[in-house]
Amino acid sequence: MSYELKHVFASLPQMERGVAKVLGGDPKGNNFLYTNGKSVIIRNIDNPAIADIYTEHPHQVTVAKYAPSGFYIASGDVSGKVRIWDTTQKEHLLKYEYQPFGGKIKDIAWTEDSKRIACVGEGREKFGAVFLWDTGSSVGEVSGHSKIINSVDIKQTRPYRLVTGSDDNCAAFFEGPPFKFKFSITDHSRFVNCVRFSPDGSRFCTAGADGQIFMYDGKTGEKIAALGGAKAHDGGVYAVSWSPDSTQLISASGDKTVKLWDVGAGTAVTTFNMGSDVMDQQLGCLWQKDHLLSVSLSGYINYLDKSNPDRPLRVIKGHSKSIQSLTVHKNDGRSYIYSGSHDGHINILSLTGKNDCFSGKGHSNLVTKMAVDDADQLVTCSMDDTVRFTSVTKKEYSASDLVKMDVQPKHVSVATGGLVLAVCIGQVVLLKNKKKVFTLDGLDYEPEAGALHPGGGTAAVGGADGKVRLYSVQGNTLKDEGKTVEAKGPVTDMAYSKDGAYLAVTDEKKVVTVFAVMDNYSVKNDFYGHHAKVVTLAWSPDNEHFASGGMDMMVYVWTVNDPDKRLKIPVSGRPNAFVFRWQAHFP
């Protein structure tokens, strides 16, 4: 067997309320980039389904910026490390790594010759540094602030100038190189969130939590004007981005708007109203060629339309938190991946890379498991103590299609005839036609996972004691007939093959055991290979293969009849769930 990477489905930016999100742009105008977790995500701006991901940071990455040459990207993380890596090769080889200060890096800027880098953030003894990209040698001192520095930018024309914005309500102006502090700018009454020079270097602006945007001379730092007069926005301004011709800029605000400004006139040409919900607060923006992008608190990336400010041209949806559950289903002849994340969001992904979601209010906490039943309903269970039934054709949550559980559900499985098995903390619940019909409680074991046989006649429940109990489904009840089989350790996941011939069980002892159903659940084979707890599995449509994922950050694809015939796939993070669109190649 062999495998090849077909698609990368990128996450959204990881957002935090009240914290600006920096978007970087490729100098050629083709790509944009942002961070999520320990990854830097690069996306094609014309077709954002085309994505690349850099995953070499050992800590959470906070900001990434292209060098003006376009050949390298500098990315900074919460530990204070800056990694400079290649953009031209698929491997993204590391060129240099530095630690300019100890603490979270919040912004990065390059000089126009791609030879010097400035970075700022939450240092302990200092809040910023400027250094040569190839040696790490200092080329100035970033001083003049008493608190965290949020933003930095460097004038892209000579003579070089550098400006910073801080939580001390001040901006600071520097001349260089070597860069030396010249004076503080004290026009803001609250945090300075963003500072940016115009591409031609003639001006720079500062944006703050006080809703103000001030304009200054790029060479002297002399104040020119305040955009919008008394106030630019009704809420804090988190980001600004200049047009390529330096005559306009866009600003993103917590008042849920993005504004397009005529810099010369100091007035807003267009106001983009992004919504009324708190998740519609705008925390980042980027002007890249003809594209105007903004990022909402939800993580959604909006392509703004100058001719229709109340409706974006496109909204890129997806997940900004870790994905915990997956399933796949074919609808109207097309395959869709349904995924549930740590924050309760469920995403609908077509294999073309287009993301969508259900309308209305859904789960409010981690989605632990999901499956699609024979009525085309997505059945999901969540740590909000509910099991939901959502039509995949209507794509709308319904308050009536929700079953409140007595305790937190951990696992669901579906079978024909509207049957659903929900495994909860200390309980096993049988549901039929979206109603609870039978509950097993007072158990002498802790149930961890469950699986309904596709025919609906048997419910298998795996326990923390390493035993799998086989209950008979009789009408609306589960009957314990004393039949059990043994896994090698505490059960973590389980699933019947599509044809019901096999039951695969994963456990904490790093083993997957497959039982032959027709042979009285005798052990067909044990599968060894993982170096840490196995947490999830999925069957292929051909019923001859299955995949397992473990905390060793490995995926194995196994052949049921031959445990030695396996495919080993390293992944960049711990697999939490699987679906199969089987396209393996056999020699």
Side-chain angles (χ1 to χ4, degrees):
M1 286 188 290
S2 64
Y3 73 94
E4 61 179 310
L5 181 65
K6 286 285 188 182
H7 301 286
V8 173
F9 301 118
S11 64
L12 296 176
Q14 190 168 10
M15 307 301 289
E16 184 180 345
R17 188 170 181 179
V19 178
K21 191 67 183 181
V22 177
L23 299 181
D26 162 21
K28 294 180 181 178
N30 298 325
N31 301 319
F32 67 101
L33 76 168
Y34 53 83
T35 63
N36 185 311
K38 297 177 183 177
S39 301
V40 178
I41 294 99
I42 306 169
R43 302 185 81 159
N44 181 280
I45 200 157
D46 292 314
N47 182 7
I50 300 172
D52 192 8
I53 302 180
Y54 179 77
T55 59
E56 297 302 313
H57 274 273
H59 302 283
Q60 181 182 339
V61 197
T62 46
V63 61
K65 289 283 190 71
Y66 273 95
S69 67
F71 297 136
Y72 294 95
I73 288 172
S75 51
D77 63 30
V78 295
S79 74
K81 287 268 176 60
V82 173
R83 294 174 69 90
I84 302 168
W85 41 279
D86 174 77
T87 64
T88 60
Q89 304 296 319
K90 186 172 65 174
E91 294 80 10
H92 298 310
L93 297 175
L94 179 68
K95 187 73 173 176
Y96 303 107
E97 182 179 70
Y98 303 111
Q99 179 134 18
F101 52 84
K104 181 193 291 187
I105 291 174
K106 300 197 73 175
D107 202 5
I108 290 173
W110 294 75
T111 52
E112 50 81 28
D113 58 5
S114 300
K115 292 182 178 179
R116 302 167 190 84
I117 295 174
C119 60
V120 298
E122 299 180 7
R124 295 179 182 91
E125 296 173 359
K126 60 179 183 177
F127 306 115
V130 195
F131 54 90
L132 292 172
W133 86 292
D134 55 351
T135 66
S137 301
S138 175
V139 285
E141 185 178 348
V142 179
S143 58
H145 289 294
S146 60
K147 292 184 179 179
I148 293 164
I149 301 177
N150 297 312
S151 185
V152 64
D153 204 19
I154 297 174
K155 185 168 168 276
Q156 294 296 292
T157 56
R158 293 178 184 269
Y160 289 149
R161 299 289 185 264
L162 183 149
V163 65
T164 55
S166 167
D167 271 7
D168 62 10
N169 302 351
C170 296
F173 189 74
F174 301 78
E175 293 181 353
F179 290 98
K180 294 180 181 178
F181 172 77
K182 297 304 288 185
F183 56 83
S184 290
I185 299 169
T186 59
D187 294 313
H188 287 281
S189 59
R190 294 189 64 194
F191 300 163
V192 181
N193 291 322
C194 187
V195 294
R196 292 291 181 259
F197 278 96
S198 61
D200 65 7
S202 63
R203 300 180 183 191
F204 72 88
C205 65
T206 64
D210 55 4
Q212 297 272 34
I213 302 173
F214 294 108
M215 200 66 54
Y216 303 87
D217 183 273
K219 184 177 179 181
T220 66
E222 181 182 350
K223 184 177 177 181
I224 297 172
L227 294 188
K231 232 179 184 187
H233 283 273
D234 292 332
V237 185
Y238 290 99
V240 294
S241 185
W242 288 83
S243 64
D245 64 5
S246 301
T247 64
Q248 296 178 307
L249 63 80
I250 54 173
S251 58
S253 170
D255 67 5
K256 310 177 188 70
T257 69
V258 176
K259 290 189 178 183
L260 171 61
W261 298 90
D262 181 321
V263 173
T267 57
V269 178
T270 308
T271 298
F272 303 92
N273 296 298
M274 306 307 298
S276 57
D277 190 82
V278 66
M279 301 305 286
D280 296 319
Q281 292 181 2
Q282 302 300 297
L283 301 182
C285 61
L286 178 69
W287 194 317
Q288 183 82 323
K289 276 189 174 176
D290 298 327
H291 297 285
L292 278 64
L293 308 186
S294 75
V295 184
S296 306
L297 176 57
S298 62
Y300 289 179
I301 301 168
N302 312 293
Y303 282 64
L304 306 178
D305 185 354
K306 293 181 188 177
S307 61
N308 186 3
D310 293 324
R311 186 179 178 86
L313 288 166
R314 172 193 288 174
V315 179
I316 308 302
K317 300 178 181 179
H319 290 293
S320 58
K321 299 289 193 303
S322 61
I323 297 171
Q324 302 292 323
S325 52
L326 283 171
T327 192
V328 69
H329 180 64
K330 187 168 281 191
N331 186 17
D332 294 331
R334 293 184 179 181
S335 291
Y336 293 91
I337 297 171
Y338 298 88
S339 53
S341 63
H342 193 275
D343 58 357
H345 176 73
I346 294 175
N347 188 56
I348 307 165
L349 176 69
S350 71
L351 295 182
T352 61
K354 184 179 178 182
N355 290 280
D356 202 355
C357 60
F358 296 113
S359 60
K361 187 174 182 180
H363 287 295
S364 60
N365 209 328
L366 187 152
V367 181
T368 52
K369 201 73 177 178
M370 56 173 57
V372 178
D373 66 13
D374 54 4
D376 287 341
Q377 294 178 117
L378 182 68
V379 183
T380 55
C381 68
S382 166
M383 288 176 67
D384 63 9
D385 297 349
T386 64
V387 173
R388 279 188 174 272
F389 298 80
T390 311
S391 168
V392 299
T393 53
K394 293 180 180 177
K395 297 182 181 179
E396 184 178 358
Y397 291 113
S398 170
S400 61
D401 293 334
L402 176 149
V403 180
K404 182 72 176 170
M405 310 302 286
D406 299 329
V407 288
Q408 181 181 301
K410 300 187 273 190
H411 206 277
V412 290
S413 176
V414 300
T416 57
L419 285 176
V420 173
L421 182 73
V423 174
C424 309
I425 296 174
Q427 276 189 354
V428 178
V429 181
L430 184 68
L431 299 95
K432 189 171 186 179
N433 298 326
K434 298 184 276 192
K435 289 184 173 63
K436 287 193 280 187
V437 294
F438 190 78
T439 300
L440 286 172
D441 50 18
L443 303 172
D444 59 356
Y445 69 99
E446 179 56 42
E448 296 291 344
L452 280 172
H453 190 274
T458 303
V461 180
D465 58 0
K467 294 181 179 179
V468 177
R469 291 157 176 85
L470 301 171
Y471 296 93
S472 174
V473 181
Q474 298 183 3
N476 292 340
T477 63
L478 296 174
K479 186 177 180 183
D480 185 358
E481 297 181 339
K483 174 71 174 173
T484 63
V485 294
E486 299 276 347
K488 298 295 187 288
V491 175
T492 55
D493 196 14
M494 58 197 304
Y496 281 98
S497 58
K498 311 291 183 185
D499 61 0
Y502 302 109
L503 173 67
V505 180
T506 66
D507 62 52
E508 291 186 8
K509 298 293 186 181
K510 303 174 277 192
V511 185
V512 185
T513 304
V514 172
F515 300 93
V517 173
M518 295 302 291
D519 195 16
N520 200 30
Y521 284 87
S522 63
V523 175
K524 173 72 174 177
N525 275 314
D526 291 320
F527 298 81
Y528 296 87
H530 284 284
H531 298 293
K533 179 168 75 173
V534 191
V535 293
T536 186
L537 68 88
W539 282 92
S540 70
D542 67 3
N543 301 299
E544 295 176 6
H545 304 86
F546 66 93
S548 61
M551 293 185 73
D552 54 1
M553 296 190 292
M554 299 297 300
V555 171
Y556 284 90
V557 180
W558 307 94
T559 303
V560 172
N561 293 311
D562 186 356
D564 296 324
K565 191 175 183 180
R566 66 189 188 189
L567 182 63
K568 183 179 177 181
I569 306 172
V571 293
S572 59
R574 190 192 95 184
N576 290 319
F578 280 119
V579 290
F580 247 114
R581 187 171 183 264
W582 189 249
Q583 289 181 328
H585 305 289
F586 291 84

